[in-house]
PDB file of all heavy atoms in Angstrom:
ATOM      1  N   GLY A1307     106.192 133.325 107.511  1.00 96.00           N
ATOM      2  CA  GLY A1307     106.575 132.316 106.572  1.00 96.00           C
ATOM      3  C   GLY A1307     105.723 132.232 105.312  1.00 96.00           C
ATOM      4  O   GLY A1307     106.296 132.248 104.223  1.00 96.00           O
ATOM      5  N   VAL A1308     104.375 132.177 105.490  1.00 96.00           N
ATOM      6  CA  VAL A1308     103.508 132.001 104.367  1.00 96.00           C
ATOM      7  C   VAL A1308     103.312 133.350 103.556  1.00 96.00           C
ATOM      8  O   VAL A1308     103.584 133.343 102.368  1.00 96.00           O
ATOM      9  CB  VAL A1308     102.132 131.464 104.765  1.00 96.00           C
ATOM     10  CG1 VAL A1308     101.174 131.308 103.611  1.00 96.00           C
ATOM     11  CG2 VAL A1308     102.320 130.072 105.485  1.00 96.00           C
ATOM     12  N   VAL A1309     102.902 134.323 104.302  1.00 96.00           N
ATOM     13  CA  VAL A1309     102.632 135.638 103.605  1.00 96.00           C
ATOM     14  C   VAL A1309     103.876 136.369 103.289  1.00 96.00           C
ATOM     15  O   VAL A1309     104.016 136.876 102.091  1.00 96.00           O
ATOM     16  CB  VAL A1309     101.623 136.463 104.464  1.00 96.00           C
ATOM     17  CG1 VAL A1309     101.426 137.853 103.783  1.00 96.00           C
ATOM     18  CG2 VAL A1309     100.375 135.733 104.769  1.00 96.00           C
ATOM     19  N   GLY A1310     104.783 136.521 104.239  1.00 96.00           N
ATOM     20  CA  GLY A1310     106.012 137.323 103.985  1.00 96.00           C
ATOM     21  C   GLY A1310     106.920 136.660 103.001  1.00 96.00           C
ATOM     22  O   GLY A1310     107.159 137.185 101.879  1.00 96.00           O
ATOM     23  N   CYS A1311     107.500 135.567 103.397  1.00 95.00           N
ATOM     24  CA  CYS A1311     108.512 134.877 102.542  1.00 95.00           C
ATOM     25  C   CYS A1311     107.895 134.321 101.279  1.00 95.00           C
ATOM     26  O   CYS A1311     108.509 134.355 100.264  1.00 95.00           O
ATOM     27  CB  CYS A1311     109.205 133.763 103.360  1.00 95.00           C
ATOM     28  SG  CYS A1311     110.250 134.371 104.693  1.00 95.00           S
ATOM     29  N   GLY A1312     106.761 133.662 101.476  1.00 95.00           N
ATOM     30  CA  GLY A1312     106.119 132.953 100.297  1.00 95.00           C
ATOM     31  C   GLY A1312     105.408 133.816  99.288  1.00 95.00           C
ATOM     32  O   GLY A1312     105.313 133.416  98.164  1.00 95.00           O
ATOM     33  N   MET A1313     104.890 135.019  99.730  1.00 95.00           N
ATOM     34  CA  MET A1313     104.133 135.789  98.794  1.00 95.00           C
ATOM     35  C   MET A1313     104.637 137.172  98.587  1.00 95.00           C
ATOM     36  O   MET A1313     104.879 137.634  97.507  1.00 95.00           O
ATOM     37  CB  MET A1313     102.688 135.831  99.311  1.00 95.00           C
ATOM     38  CG  MET A1313     102.034 134.510  99.361  1.00 95.00           C
ATOM     39  SD  MET A1313     100.367 134.569 100.024  1.00 95.00           S
ATOM     40  CE  MET A1313      99.962 132.789 100.152  1.00 95.00           C
ATOM     41  N   LEU A1314     104.858 137.951  99.655  1.00 95.00           N
ATOM     42  CA  LEU A1314     105.201 139.361  99.462  1.00 95.00           C
ATOM     43  C   LEU A1314     106.625 139.542  98.959  1.00 95.00           C
ATOM     44  O   LEU A1314     106.866 140.394  98.022  1.00 95.00           O
ATOM     45  CB  LEU A1314     105.106 140.078 100.832  1.00 95.00           C
ATOM     46  CG  LEU A1314     103.658 140.280 101.368  1.00 95.00           C
ATOM     47  CD1 LEU A1314     103.610 140.998 102.662  1.00 95.00           C
ATOM     48  CD2 LEU A1314     102.672 140.925 100.337  1.00 95.00           C
ATOM     49  N   VAL A1315     107.622 138.730  99.496  1.00 95.00           N
ATOM     50  CA  VAL A1315     109.060 138.925  99.045  1.00 95.00           C
ATOM     51  C   VAL A1315     109.119 138.568  97.601  1.00 95.00           C
ATOM     52  O   VAL A1315     109.689 139.321  96.785  1.00 95.00           O
ATOM     53  CB  VAL A1315     109.892 138.067  99.945  1.00 95.00           C
ATOM     54  CG1 VAL A1315     111.276 137.917  99.314  1.00 95.00           C
ATOM     55  CG2 VAL A1315     109.992 138.574 101.349  1.00 95.00           C
ATOM     56  N   PRO A1316     108.594 137.425  97.078  1.00 94.00           N
ATOM     57  CA  PRO A1316     108.697 137.093  95.639  1.00 94.00           C
ATOM     58  C   PRO A1316     108.015 138.167  94.804  1.00 94.00           C
ATOM     59  O   PRO A1316     108.474 138.541  93.712  1.00 94.00           O
ATOM     60  CB  PRO A1316     107.975 135.773  95.579  1.00 94.00           C
ATOM     61  CG  PRO A1316     108.125 135.197  96.908  1.00 94.00           C
ATOM     62  CD  PRO A1316     108.029 136.264  97.866  1.00 94.00           C
ATOM     63  N   LEU A1317     106.810 138.706  95.327  1.00 93.00           N
ATOM     64  CA  LEU A1317     106.125 139.775  94.519  1.00 93.00           C
ATOM     65  C   LEU A1317     106.975 141.052  94.402  1.00 93.00           C
ATOM     66  O   LEU A1317     107.106 141.535  93.293  1.00 93.00           O
ATOM     67  CB  LEU A1317     104.808 140.118  95.264  1.00 93.00           C
ATOM     68  CG  LEU A1317     103.980 141.160  94.638  1.00 93.00           C
ATOM     69  CD1 LEU A1317     103.503 140.704  93.237  1.00 93.00           C
ATOM     70  CD2 LEU A1317     102.786 141.501  95.458  1.00 93.00           C
ATOM     71  N   VAL A1318     107.620 141.404  95.487  1.00 92.00           N
ATOM     72  CA  VAL A1318     108.494 142.587  95.391  1.00 92.00           C
ATOM     73  C   VAL A1318     109.691 142.407  94.506  1.00 92.00           C
ATOM     74  O   VAL A1318     110.075 143.246  93.643  1.00 92.00           O
ATOM     75  CB  VAL A1318     108.988 142.998  96.833  1.00 92.00           C
ATOM     76  CG1 VAL A1318     110.078 144.070  96.753  1.00 92.00           C
ATOM     77  CG2 VAL A1318     107.801 143.504  97.690  1.00 92.00           C
ATOM     78  N   LEU A1319     110.257 141.215  94.613  1.00 92.00           N
ATOM     79  CA  LEU A1319     111.431 140.836  93.716  1.00 92.00           C
ATOM     80  C   LEU A1319     111.115 140.756  92.231  1.00 92.00           C
ATOM     81  O   LEU A1319     111.882 141.116  91.447  1.00 92.00           O
ATOM     82  CB  LEU A1319     112.130 139.587  94.232  1.00 92.00           C
ATOM     83  CG  LEU A1319     112.753 139.707  95.635  1.00 92.00           C
ATOM     84  CD1 LEU A1319     113.255 138.358  96.102  1.00 92.00           C
ATOM     85  CD2 LEU A1319     113.926 140.640  95.631  1.00 92.00           C
ATOM     86  N   HIS A1320     109.881 140.281  92.011  1.00 88.00           N
ATOM     87  CA  HIS A1320     109.433 140.230  90.614  1.00 88.00           C
ATOM     88  C   HIS A1320     109.349 141.689  90.092  1.00 88.00           C
ATOM     89  O   HIS A1320     109.764 141.945  88.908  1.00 88.00           O
ATOM     90  CB  HIS A1320     108.044 139.586  90.516  1.00 88.00           C
ATOM     91  CG  HIS A1320     108.111 138.129  90.266  1.00 88.00           C
ATOM     92  ND1 HIS A1320     108.012 137.570  88.929  1.00 88.00           N
ATOM     93  CD2 HIS A1320     108.345 137.090  91.052  1.00 88.00           C
ATOM     94  CE1 HIS A1320     108.165 136.271  88.984  1.00 88.00           C
ATOM     95  NE2 HIS A1320     108.279 135.952  90.263  1.00 88.00           N
TER      96      HIS A1320
END
Side-chain angles (χ1 to χ4, degrees):
V1308 177
V1309 178
C1311 293
M1313 298 179 185
L1314 294 181
V1315 169
L1317 180 63
V1318 171
L1319 291 174
H1320 267 267

